[in-house]
């Protein structure tokens, strides 16, 4: 997950209100239920010590969702009486989160707003293709391409003239497959799609896939449905979920390989809070891996005003010359450091239980739930 959109959260000191809310199905009672939820959230923030202006700002932001048709809810981050960021969620939170803390509680975003693969579904036939953009927040038309319309069907006779005609049919198919592949590559570039799903007959899908640029081959999934089918939401969601799982598995494999010492005797990956804190202070985190249910995710660390001012013990910050310090969750502190240095973060939960998700001894990876690939060893 690219964390650049979180920059506004670290331009000011806390404390911060962090709220994650679901938006239940829109019914006649939904506006009233959401109003009651907004009041309850404001009350809970106040009980945790939040100032009145910030409680009011959060409540107003949640009140604005009374008539929202968003399917999964929102996260709201506020301080000093203003909502600074309120991204929509791509997955509904299992339970609401309400926190008042020195840092914004951003770790849940990795699962609730991250890894939302955008898909282009290409409905392919011999004459062209229709493209559809699909994501967690809905679908929309993404254009179409029309190839040569004749000849596209073979005949069953075998004389010379018919064989010549069939060759023209083959040429038409190849021409149209190339046209579709070119248009699909442009569509992917324009939309930034993470996944390309081909729907149609086996030959047409294979012909298009073979003509796509090599850089896109790993993004292609061929649906089992034949020509004329339209993918259901559950079909697309299955492909999206598989893509997220495979990405997490690949990163875990990289992490496991990097844990072994390199030629200089030092590993290219670390795990555990002390090692990660040291790597964050030295700006060495290349990618942060988080398993939110791991015990280290909510372990206490100490932070200063700047993202690279963090330590396992409060006294360490004083030794480093930091006069002001606050207690914070390890995952939130490390995400702040990752944002400052431009490092991405990834939840490895989708890879749980998969081959490669555990080490040789069967322990959960990364140990404690927090790990990182390093920029330099």
């Amino acid at each position: 997950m690219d964390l650049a959109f979180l920059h506004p959260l670290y331009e000011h000191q806390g404390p911060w209100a962090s709220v994650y809310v679901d938006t239940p199905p829109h019914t006649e009672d939904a506006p009233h239920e959401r109003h009651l939820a907004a009041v309850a959230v404001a009350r809970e923030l106040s009980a945790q010590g939040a100032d009145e202006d910030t409680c009011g700002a959060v409540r107003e932001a949640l009140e604005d969702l009374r008539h929202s048709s968003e399917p999964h809810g929102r996260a709201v981050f506020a301080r000093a009486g203003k909502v600074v960021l309120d991204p929509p969620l791509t997955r509904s939170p299992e339970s609401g989160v309400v926190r008042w803390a020195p840092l914004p509680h951003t770790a849940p975003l990795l699962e609730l707003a991250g890894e939302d693969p955008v898909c282009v579904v290409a409905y392919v036939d011999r004459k062209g293709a229709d493209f559809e953009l699909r994501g967690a927040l809905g679908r929309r038309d993404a254009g179409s391409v029309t190839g040569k319309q004749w000849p596209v069907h073979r005949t069953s006779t075998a004389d010379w003239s018919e064989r010549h005609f069939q060759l023209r049919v083959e040429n038409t198919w190849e021409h149209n497959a190339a046209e579709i592949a070119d248009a699909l590559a442009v569509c992917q570039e324009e939309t930034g799609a993470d996944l390309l799903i081909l729907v149609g007959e086996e030959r047409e899908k294979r012909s298009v896939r073979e003509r796509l640029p090599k850089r896109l081959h790993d993004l292609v999934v061929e649906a089992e449905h034949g020509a004329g089918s339209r993918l259901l939401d559950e079909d697309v969601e299955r492909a999206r979920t598989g893509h997220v799982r495979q990405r997490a598995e690949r990163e875990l494999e990289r992490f496991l390989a990097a844990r072994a010492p390199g030629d200089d005797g030092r590993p290219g990956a670390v795990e555990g809070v002390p090692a990660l804190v040291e790597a964050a202070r030295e700006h060495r985190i290349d990618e942060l891996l988080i398993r939110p249910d791991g015990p280290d995710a909510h372990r206490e660390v100490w932070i200063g005003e700047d993202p690279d001012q963090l330590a396992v013990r409060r006294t360490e910050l004083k030794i480093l010359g930091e006069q002001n310090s606050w207690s914070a969750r390890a995952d939130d502190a490390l995400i702040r450091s990752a944002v400052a240095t431009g490092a991405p973060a990834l939840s490895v939960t989708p890879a749980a239980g998969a081959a490669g998700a555990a080490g040789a001894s069967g322990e959960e990876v990364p140990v404690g739930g927090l790990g990182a690939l390093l920029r330099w060893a």
Side-chain angles (χ1 to χ4, degrees), residues 1-6 20 85 87-90 106-116 247 251 286-289 335 338-339 342-347:
M1 181 180 186
D2 185 347
L3 303 176
F5 76 103
L6 295 180
Y20 293 78
L85 197 66
L89 303 179
T90 56
T106 53
L109 289 175
L110 299 185
E111 294 195 331
L112 301 179
E115 288 303 295
D116 172 28
R247 163 88 195 284
E251 293 308 293
D286 189 51
E287 182 178 41
L288 187 62
L289 305 181
I335 287 176
V339 170
L346 177 71
S347 167

Side-chain angles (χ1 to χ4, degrees), residues 108-281:
L109 289 175
L110 299 185
E111 294 195 331
L112 301 179
E115 288 303 295
D116 172 28
V118 174
C119 307
V120 171
V121 182
Y123 298 101
V124 178
D125 61 30
R126 297 175 183 178
K127 296 182 179 181
D130 294 324
F131 302 147
E132 186 179 55
L133 196 65
R134 302 278 282 268
L137 302 180
R139 68 176 77 184
R140 66 175 175 85
D141 179 76
S144 62
V145 57
T146 302
K148 292 182 178 179
Q149 302 300 293
W150 188 88
V152 293
H153 296 289
R154 292 180 172 180
T155 62
S156 58
T157 57
D159 60 37
W160 179 88
S161 63
E162 293 303 329
R163 288 198 299 272
H164 179 68
F165 180 81
Q166 290 179 14
L167 180 60
R168 293 176 63 192
V169 171
E170 294 283 347
N171 291 338
T172 300
W173 286 1
E174 292 180 4
H175 173 274
N176 289 352
E179 290 274 331
I180 294 168
D182 289 345
L184 185 55
V186 171
C187 184
Q188 187 279 332
E189 186 172 355
E190 291 178 345
T191 62
D194 306 285
L195 199 59
L196 304 176
I197 306 178
L198 302 181
V199 184
E201 298 298 340
E202 291 300 322
R203 174 166 181 162
E204 281 72 41
K205 291 188 294 187
R206 183 173 65 253
S207 295
V208 171
R209 184 171 193 161
E210 290 173 350
R211 288 165 173 78
L212 285 169
K214 288 185 178 180
R215 64 181 178 83
L216 299 181
H217 285 187
D218 290 340
L219 306 185
V220 178
V221 173
E222 295 186 21
E224 297 179 357
H225 300 64
S229 302
R230 282 295 184 265
L231 292 194
L232 301 174
D233 290 342
E234 50 262 37
D235 297 321
V236 176
E237 186 57 31
R238 193 177 304 114
R240 284 158 41 86
T241 300
H243 175 80
V244 171
R245 183 184 64 253
Q246 291 169 11
R247 163 88 195 284
E249 290 172 0
R250 287 196 301 268
E251 293 308 293
L252 275 180
E253 289 173 0
R254 286 183 60 210
F255 177 82
L256 286 168
R259 288 198 307 183
D263 294 339
D264 61 356
R266 303 179 67 180
V270 294
E271 56 197 334
V273 172
L276 284 163
V277 164
E278 180 181 357
R281 282 203 300 252

